[in-house]
Amino acid sequence: MATNDDESHKKQEQEIFFETSTAAGTTFKVRFPSNDEGARFAVGYWSIRGLAAPIRMMLCAAKVNFDAFQYDLLEQGDDGWSSEYFTEKPTLRERYHQPLMNLPYIVDRKERAVVCQTNACFSYLAREIGMWGESSLDISKCEELLCEIYDIRNIMTGFAYGTPVAERETAGRDAVKKAKGSFKKVETILSSSSNPHYLVGGKATAPDFHLFEMLDQYEDLCKDVSAGDLYERFPCLKAFKINFESLSENQLYLKSQMHTQTPINNCMAVFGSAPGRPLYKRGQAAPWMNQGDIALSP
């Protein structure tokens, strides 16, 4: 005879774990005809590229079905900001037993788990989809590179969110100059590799996707603030970028709204706060927000 606990466990198994997020303004439902399984993963983040772009791109490259929950940051009053995510966050924290709840997060519906903190999201997902190296040494290299690339990102976000608009061009050029110190280290790694099209083990791993996103952002920043050629002394980085964006497995993501019609940063940033390179102006329309469900497939 089944007990109440047995019935409760059976019901839990039948329910899709973290199926939706009511606070998300847009949900991309990415499905591949070659993959007849349900969407095992979901990615939660702001309705920008930001930290989630490499994660979304990884999942597309691996041809893994997933949902992308995108949360809108909306104007509040004359100079404030609000989001339905802030309202839903305490509920998510309690419902899914994740005291570290934050953006980005990864939902693994198979394991009924939520993973938070950016590099933890990268490493967990990469292990599950085969983008984390083949040996212990490769794994350590992936970890090292994710930390180094995060330093490059921190320079970008420090500039984009911490600079007065009047100082953006000078501060932007300073940010590019500072970031080149870390890019030089990555150039050295690529120049000494037997396969400089990838950072680790001659195939795509998690740090490749984060590096690609940062190169893409700094290319735009160089144009935006007249900072010259990003690749002037970095031929290997230039070759890496050209090759990576030409790979067939990356075309679905790169041609999708998640990349082409989604801003790099949130609305208050002094760079990349609207799709393309214009700045978001308070009161303007934001067509990349509140789009409901969007189906995406090859």
Side-chain angles (χ1 to χ4, degrees):
M1 182 177 178
T3 66
N4 289 338
D5 286 345
D6 290 336
E7 292 298 327
S8 177
H9 183 68
K10 185 181 294 185
K11 182 179 179 181
Q12 185 184 56
E13 287 185 334
Q14 291 172 346
E15 293 176 350
I16 298 176
F17 180 81
F18 209 141
E19 184 175 13
T20 62
S21 173
T22 57
T26 304
T27 298
F28 284 96
K29 295 180 173 291
V30 184
R31 303 292 186 268
F32 292 88
S34 59
N35 185 342
D36 58 3
E37 297 180 356
R40 173 181 172 182
F41 298 104
V43 183
Y45 195 61
W46 300 114
S47 52
I48 62 173
R49 282 161 54 181
L51 290 165
I55 298 172
R56 298 165 185 152
M57 190 177 182
M58 283 172 62
L59 285 163
C60 286
K63 295 181 172 58
V64 173
N65 295 336
F66 72 99
D67 297 324
F69 302 138
Q70 301 197 172
Y71 300 99
D72 301 330
L73 194 64
L74 305 171
E75 296 177 15
Q76 185 177 53
D78 293 334
D79 57 4
W81 303 92
S82 68
S83 175
E84 291 187 23
Y85 167 72
F86 297 136
T87 303
E88 189 181 38
K89 182 176 178 179
T91 302
L92 298 178
R93 184 189 295 125
E94 181 177 353
R95 180 181 298 163
Y96 300 111
H97 310 291
Q98 176 48 284
L100 303 179
M101 195 71 204
N102 209 349
L103 302 179
Y105 63 75
I106 296 287
V107 176
D108 185 339
R109 291 168 175 146
K110 177 182 176 182
E111 299 297 331
R112 303 184 71 83
V114 180
V115 178
C116 300
Q117 301 299 331
T118 304
N119 279 349
C121 290
F122 278 127
S123 60
Y124 181 85
L125 186 61
R127 285 194 300 271
E128 295 300 308
I129 64 176
M131 292 185 175
W132 199 231
E134 301 292 336
S135 67
S136 296
L137 182 57
D138 281 354
I139 291 170
S140 290
K141 288 179 179 178
C142 285
E143 292 168 336
E144 289 175 339
L145 283 159
L146 283 177
C147 292
E148 187 65 37
I149 297 165
Y150 207 102
D151 288 345
I152 297 172
R153 174 175 290 280
N154 281 342
I155 296 169
M156 173 64 78
T157 54
F159 153 69
Y161 292 102
T163 302
V165 174
E167 300 173 16
R168 65 184 299 275
E169 291 204 9
T170 299
R173 288 191 288 269
D174 288 344
V176 171
K177 183 177 180 180
K178 187 175 181 181
K180 283 184 176 181
S182 286
F183 279 133
K184 183 178 180 180
K185 301 175 192 177
V186 183
E187 173 76 12
T188 300
I189 290 170
L190 289 172
S191 66
S192 61
S193 172
S194 60
N195 186 346
H197 287 159
Y198 300 99
L199 287 167
V200 179
K203 67 174 190 176
T205 55
D208 289 316
F209 293 89
H210 204 175
L211 176 61
F212 174 85
E213 175 64 19
M214 295 320 301
L215 290 171
D216 207 48
Q217 291 187 22
Y218 276 95
E219 280 183 17
D220 278 355
L221 180 58
C222 284
K223 296 171 186 174
D224 205 41
V225 300
S226 302
D229 180 7
L230 177 65
Y231 302 109
E232 183 179 2
R233 297 184 180 181
F234 302 140
C236 292
L237 281 170
K238 183 176 183 178
F240 167 89
K241 175 69 161 40
I242 292 171
N243 177 74
F244 206 70
E245 66 187 352
S246 72
L247 295 175
S248 60
E249 59 264 36
N250 289 332
Q251 298 313 301
L252 175 65
Y253 171 79
L254 291 175
K255 293 176 182 178
S256 76
Q257 289 178 247
M258 290 188 290
H259 182 71
T260 62
Q261 298 177 42
T262 302
I264 292 170
N265 294 312
N266 259 318
C267 297
M268 71 287 289
V270 299
F271 165 71
S273 54
R277 288 177 15 226
L279 293 183
Y280 175 85
K281 294 182 179 179
R282 206 167 181 86
Q284 77 168 63
W288 61 92
M289 297 187 191
N290 196 30
Q291 299 181 83
D293 290 353
I294 297 176
L296 181 63
S297 62

